[in-house]
Amino acid sequence: MNAKVISKGHLPSRHVTVGAARAPHRSYLYAMGLSTKEINQPLVGVASCWNEAAPCNISLMRQAQVVKKGVAAANGTPREFCTITVTDGIAMGHQGMKASLVSREVIADSVELTMRGHCYDGLVGLAGCDKSLPGMMMAMVRLNVPSIFIYGGSILPGSYRGRQITVQDVFEAVGQHSVGNMSDVELAEIEQAACPSAGSCGAQFTANTMATVAEAIGLALPYSCGAPAPYEMRDRFNYAAGEKVMELIAKKIRPRDIVTRKALENAAAVVSATGGSTNGALHLPAIAHEAGIKFDLFDVAKIFQRTPYIADLKPGGKYVAKDMFEAGGIPLLMKTLLDHGYLHGDCLTVTGRTLAENLEHVSWNDQQDVVHPADRPITRTGGVVGLEGNLAPEGAIVKVAGMSELKFKGPARCFDSEEACFEAVTNRTYREGEVLVIRYEGPKGGPGMREMLATTAALYGQGMGNKVALITDGRFSGATRGFCIGHIGPEAAVGGPIGLLRDGDLISIDAVDGHLSVELTDKELAARAKSWKPRKTDYQSGAIWKYAQTVGPARDGAVTHPGAASETHCYADI
């Protein structure tokens, strides 16, 4: 394929490179060393979320250079730019986490604005952290120019006294330390051993969950999302992505040709099959929103319910992302799901072929036990379950992978912030059998819908992970395990039932039948609602305040704009 035959007549870059009126624009391009030939070629944005905030982002700029070589080799002109990342592992457990979900929107918006302002014709996006992956994919679907997603790769597992560990073990070690079961020396040893390389958190937490989604939804090249960040073979995928995006431009294959309802169902299936992060139920509706497709939490939950749990991955299982890659990668997982009727094989992907065609030559590896055959799963239903009931009319979500008991009933113990609950857990002022309620942490009420890993990990570290339940209108990290229910809607800040609870109210959780309820009559809930009053947050200006003014419910992905259904035109068609 020779990109020189691509006419600029239909490409956005014609607005800055073609005709006498664009001489001033071209002068800027010449100033950066571009040749006339390069200016006349398609301009491809190479966007990365590189920064020095955390290991998940640190290798992205280096990988972007390889992508640029691939674009140039296929007669395109790469234009590199960066956007932000808020890294959950560092933002966790304090007010910084309120910036996390907000960052997803800022990433999508900033990539959109950079692409729009400079009229780039295609996009290769590199991301490595929990919100940067969906944020980058949202931008691709929103812009609808030919695009390829690249995951920066997972971190290698750490080793502590002969066992494989991840950052999850460090969070849980804090809980063990708080009850005297781990010394200062041991805690220091484990924190220094857990993260030995560049890359995103190694287990099936949110980053690796959304990386699995990227391949399943068709926006990433096969195998590219499984290779760990330190592996030099990542450069093959990066170079190939640069070349391939030029082919997509020539063939006019766009993200909305790829991200269809069926593709979203495939994405939900791999989240469930891997016991992935509950955040998948937040990000998939948001990606669908960018395509103008209605695909909310309940739609995601239906796929979860019918998909078997087959990948034995942490936090509920034994293995990490590196292990699945070496066993056969995400294609091995998808192949057994496809063979047994759990995926749609006719979905188009960035290879230009269908999912089934991509997987045609993938053979089963019977020498591994990371991924089970879909007809012999770990459990028959998925590793993530949707819930609803009078406590969650707009739904809720729970990860059940690795859990043996799927029902819980107990009295409520209410906290109006994560900090208040974490203090009670640290001081062990809660009781076995209680349902800890963390509210006013939703998208509007937080604002920002914080994750609660510090609290849930402390409970596990204290040995109480299966002896109490925790429910919230906020979120949980992909590293969370145990009876932890998030995304409860409507959230407390808009008068949802979770905001009406009182200490001692009896709460029932049933992850088998998908119910979450409080033993109160409709009449009693209505009476409490009359006396409920809205609360002001501590964020009355700035980016987090701005987010709270526009964000919608978690059920629909906590999105902040009307989406493709309200478009009068799409960027790709300017």
Side-chain angles (χ1 to χ4, degrees):
M1 192 277 298
N2 191 333
K4 286 190 285 190
V5 302
I6 298 177
S7 166
K8 285 215 174 184
H10 68 283
L11 296 181
S13 66
R14 72 187 185 278
H15 295 298
V16 295
T17 62
V18 175
R22 302 312 180 201
H25 307 65
R26 291 192 295 271
S27 73
Y28 277 31
L29 301 177
Y30 284 122
M32 292 182 285
L34 296 188
S35 67
T36 301
K37 176 178 180 252
E38 288 172 317
I39 291 170
N40 290 331
Q41 293 176 161
L43 305 183
V44 176
V46 178
S48 84
C49 299
W50 175 87
N51 59 41
E52 294 181 331
C56 42
N57 312 308
I58 202 69
S59 73
L60 294 178
M61 187 175 287
R62 185 201 67 75
Q63 294 192 49
Q65 308 317 305
V66 185
V67 174
K68 290 163 66 178
K69 291 178 182 178
V71 171
N75 297 307
T77 302
R79 309 312 298 151
E80 182 181 4
F81 63 95
C82 291
T83 184
I84 69 157
T85 309
V86 173
T87 298
D88 288 6
I90 291 178
M92 194 75 68
H94 54 87
Q95 291 288 305
M97 178 50 73
K98 293 186 176 181
S100 173
L101 188 57
V102 181
S103 77
R104 186 190 73 179
E105 310 310 302
V106 174
I107 291 164
D109 292 351
S110 62
V111 172
E112 175 196 355
L113 294 176
T114 301
M115 294 285 291
R116 281 187 183 276
H118 305 104
C119 294
Y120 296 155
D121 303 315
L123 173 62
V124 180
L126 299 93
C129 206
D130 293 10
K131 306 309 170 297
S132 61
L133 277 79
M136 192 65 74
M137 287 187 269
M138 287 163 64
M140 292 174 174
V141 180
R142 183 186 304 177
L143 293 161
N144 204 32
V145 290
S147 302
I148 294 180
F149 176 82
I150 295 176
Y151 179 41
S154 70
I155 200 169
L156 296 176
S159 178
Y160 173 70
R161 300 187 179 183
R163 67 183 177 93
Q164 189 169 272
I165 62 170
T166 70
V167 71
Q168 172 196 351
D169 296 277
V170 188
F171 276 100
E172 293 183 5
V174 172
Q176 294 177 49
H177 181 268
S178 72
V179 295
N181 291 337
M182 180 174 285
S183 69
D184 292 348
V185 171
E186 290 171 315
L187 182 60
E189 185 180 344
I190 198 170
E191 74 179 61
Q192 292 173 33
C195 300
S197 73
S200 304
C201 297
Q204 200 68 352
F205 308 154
T206 305
N208 280 318
T209 296
M210 294 310 296
T212 308
V213 161
E215 283 196 33
I217 210 168
L219 289 174
L221 294 174
Y223 294 101
S224 66
C225 289
Y231 284 18
E232 292 297 321
M233 70 181 301
R234 288 214 54 79
D235 286 352
R236 296 186 222 164
F237 297 119
N238 297 328
Y239 193 92
E243 290 185 307
K244 183 61 70 171
V245 76
M246 294 303 299
E247 184 178 315
L248 297 180
I249 292 171
K251 293 181 177 179
K252 301 180 183 179
I253 296 176
R254 300 178 179 182
R256 293 185 196 174
D257 300 323
I258 293 168
V259 179
T260 61
R261 172 77 186 213
K262 285 184 176 180
L264 289 159
E265 291 181 356
N266 287 347
V270 299
V271 173
S272 188
T274 58
S277 171
T278 54
N279 286 307
L282 189 71
H283 300 321
L284 289 177
I287 293 170
H289 181 71
E290 302 291 353
I293 300 170
K294 180 68 174 173
F295 192 70
D296 67 13
L297 184 149
F298 290 115
D299 296 310
V300 174
K302 287 176 185 175
I303 306 301
F304 289 171
Q305 188 176 31
R306 70 181 189 226
T307 307
Y309 167 43
I310 62 171
D312 194 8
L313 298 171
K314 288 177 179 283
K318 296 188 291 188
Y319 296 107
V320 295
K322 176 189 77 74
D323 300 320
M324 187 162 81
F325 179 70
E326 293 172 353
I330 297 167
L332 181 76
L333 172 91
M334 293 197 294
K335 176 67 170 176
T336 187
L337 290 172
L338 178 67
D339 286 349
H340 293 93
Y342 296 106
L343 295 182
H344 303 288
D346 58 346
C347 294
L348 183 66
T349 73
V350 290
T351 65
R353 302 185 296 273
T354 65
L355 184 76
E357 289 169 336
N358 288 344
L359 300 176
E360 184 178 357
H361 300 296
V362 174
S363 57
W364 181 252
N365 176 8
D366 60 6
Q367 301 302 305
Q368 57 82 39
D369 63 350
V370 182
V371 180
H372 294 220
D375 60 342
R376 297 196 299 278
I378 299 169
T379 60
R380 289 282 170 191
T381 55
V384 185
V385 172
L387 309 172
E388 62 179 310
N390 70 343
L391 190 46
E394 291 183 358
I397 205 83
V398 60
K399 179 187 284 193
V400 298
M403 289 174 55
S404 57
E405 180 54 56
L406 300 182
K407 297 184 180 183
F408 196 99
K409 189 173 185 178
R413 181 79 174 279
C414 299
F415 303 92
D416 288 345
S417 70
E418 182 194 9
E419 284 85 356
C421 185
F422 185 72
E423 182 180 357
V425 171
T426 301
N427 296 328
R428 303 203 75 178
T429 57
Y430 64 94
R431 295 178 181 175
E432 184 175 328
E434 287 183 323
V435 178
L436 308 183
V437 179
I438 303 178
R439 58 194 180 188
Y440 295 100
E441 291 285 7
K444 286 185 180 294
M449 203 180 184
R450 283 194 288 181
E451 292 181 349
M452 311 292 172
L453 177 59
T455 303
T456 60
L459 285 167
Y460 246 90
Q462 293 174 358
M464 298 295 287
N466 295 315
K467 297 175 182 177
V468 297
L470 197 157
I471 69 172
T472 182
D473 52 8
R475 300 180 294 127
F476 291 112
S477 165
T480 290
R481 54 183 176 145
F483 234 137
C484 300
I485 291 89
H487 304 203
I488 291 176
E491 61 175 296
V494 298
I498 189 172
L500 309 179
L501 292 175
R502 297 173 183 167
D503 287 352
D505 288 341
L506 204 57
I507 294 173
S508 296
I509 305 165
D510 185 340
V512 177
D513 295 327
H515 295 309
L516 175 62
S517 60
V518 57
E519 292 190 3
L520 295 173
T521 64
D522 292 345
K523 184 177 179 180
E524 174 63 19
L525 285 170
R528 292 187 187 184
K530 287 181 181 178
S531 61
W532 175 85
K533 293 180 180 178
R535 295 159 48 99
K536 266 195 170 185
T537 75
D538 292 336
Y539 293 81
Q540 293 302 306
S541 67
I544 295 176
W545 172 86
K546 189 188 300 183
Y547 175 85
Q549 308 315 301
T550 57
V551 69
R555 171 180 175 168
D556 298 319
V559 294
T560 57
H561 70 111
S566 297
E567 281 180 355
T568 56
H569 76 277
C570 177
Y571 164 75
D573 299 321
I574 60 172

